[in-house]
Amino acid sequence: MAYTQINPATGKKFRLISAPVVKKDAKALVTGKPVYTDDLALKDCLIVKVLRSPHAHALIEEIDCKVASRVPGIECILTWKDVPQKRFTMAGQTYPEPSPYDRLILDQRVRFVGDAVAIIAGETEAAVDHAMRLIKVKYQVLEPVLDMHDSKDGKILVHPEDSWKSLCPVGADNKRNLCASDEDSNGDVDAILAGCAHVIDHTYHVKANQQAMMETFRTFTTMDAYGRLNVTSSTQIPFHVRRIVAHALDIPKSKVRVLKPRIGGGFGAKQTVVTEVYPALVTWKTGKPAKLIYTRYESQIASSPRHEMEVHVRLGADENGIFQAIDIYTLSNTGAFGEHGPTTVGLSGHKSIPLYSTTKAYRFAYDVVYTNTMSAGAYRGYGATQGIFALESAVNELARELHMDPTVLREKNMVHEGDFMPAYYGETANSCALDRCLVKVREMIDWE
């Protein structure tokens, strides 16, 4: 049902609700006109591809590109020696990002099977594929850490480099393989659980999930008449892309312009700068247009899946099923790099515990650890999915133990309007503390 209101500026009536609005790109979509990233790419773009590591953990001792460089049509082959040595994060988050600065565009140390080793750019895909096969890489293979349980304070460091840094106080420590770590609580959880008539004490494992949007990751780049690097990309985060690309290439943000056409699905994966830096580097160095399109295989093995999490839940209730205490510990596997690691994990507790308002105490603690696996990132639900699955599974098990309908049990304990939620309040208070820190960081860092 629609109704109208008077526009005070013009005195005319206008419709507010249920008014049909024609999408600006509707006609182009239904008629098959060019609207997506690859539709808009210049026809003479250099084709860019990435040579990837076959090892989970290794140091590159030598890369021989001489023969590959002589393949007709090859414009350039870039290795770790050819990129700025300035660490950054690919996480699409507001500056200063909570995710640690742990990446280089190309690094001498490779940290997962599929990690970038070299960038090849040429006039045709056939030439680039041929050149890629001719590159000879000598690796010093290192022992990897593949199990997140072995990571924290383990003997193998995923990021031993001194140039690693964390801009925000998220409990990160690369010398302990920690991307983030923290604890938040209210009340004496252990004492209250000890006095509960019923306690559910279980651990729930949520595996990493990979997203598969119809349009794979892709970017094309050009230089414009003003000397700016133009980045056109299938991304959810154009303004973050601008800052991240500028930082990675060590150039001013004023030299980068980002265009975001319609994207063929994102789901959170395109909140990470997956492809943008590689063609951007090629164009910045050569001055020529460049294009990188991930195959479906590449999108599966070198992009931005959901974080694997193990969530330990202790849920205590009295004989009537009234919750007394909730204790959650989350171990999150961020993989080789820390994109969105410190933020997704927070939602596993701060978005699950506040669903229930009857608790006298709660505790939420977490560790986010590095491993030599593909780095994780944003994914629909952003960490809350894992935590809510775990807590709701515990609630169902408590209902079974009480011989109570799970819906009735939830109705007894669910949050209502006007209830005080210390777990959610704690998150807000922590955010305020973080904001104060970010102000200080901005004062200390030149973020042009």
Side-chain angles (χ1 to χ4, degrees), residues 90 97 150 153 196 243 294 298 300 326 344 361 374 407:
M90 288 186 175
E97 304 92 333
D150 300 330
D153 296 323
C196 287
R243 184 188 68 253
Y294 270 17
E298 285 180 296
Q300 293 294 301
I326 299 176
T344 52
M374 176 172 45
T407 303

Side-chain angles (χ1 to χ4, degrees), residues 73-93:
I74 291 300
E75 178 70 25
C76 66
I77 299 176
L78 305 173
T79 72
W80 66 273
K81 297 178 181 179
D82 304 309
V83 304
Q85 298 299 299
K86 191 169 184 180
R87 295 206 175 266
F88 65 100
T89 177
M90 288 186 175
Q93 297 176 306

Side-chain angles (χ1 to χ4, degrees), residues 52-84:
R52 302 190 179 280
S53 169
H55 305 292
H57 195 195
L59 289 174
I60 300 171
E61 293 186 338
E62 297 176 15
I63 302 183
D64 185 352
C65 302
K66 292 193 238 9
V67 175
S69 298
R70 292 198 291 268
V71 171
I74 291 300
E75 178 70 25
C76 66
I77 299 176
L78 305 173
T79 72
W80 66 273
K81 297 178 181 179
D82 304 309
V83 304

Side-chain angles (χ1 to χ4, degrees), residues 117-130:
V117 172
I119 303 168
I120 306 98
E123 295 173 0
T124 66
E125 186 173 6
V128 172
D129 287 340
H130 186 198

